[in-house]
Amino acid sequence: MLAVAACIVAINLVSSTVASPQQPVRDYLAALKRGDGGAALGLLNASVPGGNAAMLDGTALQTAASKISDVKVGDHEPRGGKRVMVPVDYTIDGNQLHTEFLLERTGTEWLFFGHWEFVPSSLPTIDVTVVNASEANLNGVPVNLPDGRNSFAVFYPGQYEASLSEEFFTAIPVRTSVTGDHSSQTPLNLLTRTTDTMNEAVAGKIKQYLDNCAAEATKQQRLQPDCPFYHVTNTPIEPGTIKWQVTEYPKISIEPFDGGWEVAPLNGKARVTAKQIDLFTGQVSTLNEVQDFSFTTRLDIGENSITVVPQVSY
């Protein structure tokens, strides 16, 4: 009788652990943590929708699963026929989340124990878009975004983060938590902006252009040089006294426009000094005026270069 009782206890223990509907769920979650996409896909019994598969294995998958904590696999609940639902509660970034897995009893093992498998499903997808770029990072993995967008099949539960960090362009990271086998998730939209390195490089080229322009105008002794700034007067100027100096350089603002990048109109100030001669009295006085100026520029960005082409109407 003791042997029979022990056997019954052992059967009940195995039925509630190894042979329970919860066990495939635990195995699946463990595969996600390992980044073993092949095992996870086989256990989940899911089909892979069209799209990029970069998130389905290795580092990207491990990163998605690493954000999951406080996992609690609940008791299964009947869902009609041979099917049951196994609930899983967990947190991602401090948010309480919930996922339900549907499993089906497909047979018996060792005469006593049920064999449970996930009911076939399809993996969800995430759409990623980026402004004026064709690449980004998704869960730390470089991914291609032809025409600025792509769709990625993903496992669940997990967190997926898109980011962009390059020398000239960057974007604030955006993330989403995937909790179920929905057909799609909220798109991860990266709003690209120029980096300080880019802005400083453009500002430096603009400053160099204006300084050279002022120096050349002074050298040529011209009040109306081939520059964004000029001075108009009918008063004669004493030769050799004209001097130009930029006193306020334009502030740089670069924004995406029509698939490229556009520099906002550039506004600054330049001072012109000279000796001017009164036509009636012959008296010499000092010209000292600050002129506002404005111009636009074309920005050409190569793989490792930035070219600034001022557009000035003379």
Side-chain angles (χ1 to χ4, degrees):
M1 291 181 64
L2 289 175
V4 171
C7 183
I8 293 173
V9 170
I11 290 173
N12 289 334
L13 180 62
V14 173
S15 296
S16 63
T17 55
V18 178
S20 70
Q22 286 85 349
Q23 191 57 43
V25 175
R26 295 189 186 98
D27 292 341
Y28 168 71
L29 295 175
L32 297 185
K33 289 283 188 180
R34 296 195 308 271
D36 188 346
L41 191 63
L43 285 164
L44 191 60
N45 201 14
S47 61
V48 180
N52 194 296
M55 296 297 103
L56 298 183
D57 201 31
T59 299
L61 178 55
Q62 280 184 306
T63 301
S66 69
K67 307 300 181 181
I68 304 171
S69 60
D70 303 322
V71 178
K72 296 179 179 63
V73 180
D75 294 333
H76 61 275
E77 303 173 9
R79 283 294 184 266
K82 298 181 179 180
R83 293 185 174 184
V84 298
M85 183 276 291
V86 176
V88 179
D89 293 292
Y90 51 94
T91 61
I92 294 180
D93 283 345
N95 297 313
Q96 296 286 338
L97 299 173
H98 179 82
T99 295
E100 297 182 352
F101 293 99
L102 191 62
L103 292 96
E104 187 172 31
R105 182 167 178 166
T106 58
T108 302
E109 295 179 346
W110 305 334
L111 299 178
F112 301 103
F113 311 122
H115 179 75
W116 296 92
E117 293 184 358
F118 287 88
V119 173
S121 60
S122 179
L123 292 179
T125 59
I126 291 177
D127 291 331
V128 180
T129 68
V130 63
V131 174
N132 286 358
S134 59
E135 295 181 345
N137 289 323
L138 188 56
N139 275 16
V141 174
V143 294
N144 292 321
L145 303 173
D147 299 322
R149 62 177 59 247
N150 209 341
S151 180
F152 298 85
V154 295
F155 283 108
Y156 63 91
Q159 187 182 78
Y160 296 87
E161 179 181 280
S163 62
L164 177 67
S165 181
E166 299 177 349
E167 182 181 8
F168 297 147
F169 303 104
T170 187
I172 297 175
V174 290
R175 61 184 64 89
T176 186
S177 296
V178 182
T179 60
D181 58 344
H182 315 296
S183 59
S184 63
Q185 303 291 322
T186 301
L188 296 178
N189 300 319
L190 289 170
L191 302 179
T192 313
R193 58 183 176 84
T194 55
T195 62
D196 290 342
T197 299
M198 173 72 153
N199 295 336
E200 290 167 4
V202 172
K205 291 179 181 293
I206 294 296
K207 182 179 185 300
Q208 182 181 31
Y209 161 71
L210 291 173
D211 286 344
N212 290 342
C213 214
E216 190 64 21
T218 299
K219 180 180 177 180
Q220 295 177 357
Q221 288 294 287
R222 297 177 61 183
L223 288 178
Q224 299 174 17
D226 297 332
C227 295
F229 42 81
Y230 60 91
H231 177 72
V232 177
T233 181
N234 292 321
T235 304
I237 300 296
E238 184 176 317
T241 64
I242 297 174
K243 182 179 180 180
W244 283 99
Q245 180 184 16
V246 179
T247 58
E248 183 178 312
Y249 293 94
K251 295 181 179 179
I252 305 301
S253 177
I254 305 172
E255 300 293 338
F257 176 76
D258 196 25
W261 295 91
E262 183 178 71
V263 181
L266 301 165
N267 303 303
K269 298 179 184 294
R271 182 184 301 276
V272 59
T273 59
K275 297 296 184 181
Q276 54 187 0
I277 305 171
D278 189 284
L279 285 172
F280 298 101
T281 66
Q283 184 177 358
V284 177
S285 61
T286 298
L287 169 68
N288 187 342
E289 291 196 15
V290 174
Q291 304 288 342
D292 293 326
F293 65 83
S294 179
F295 67 108
T296 60
T297 186
R298 190 181 78 243
L299 190 60
D300 296 332
I301 303 172
E303 186 173 346
N304 297 302
S305 65
I306 301 172
T307 303
V308 176
V309 183
Q311 310 287 299
V312 180
S313 298
Y314 302 119

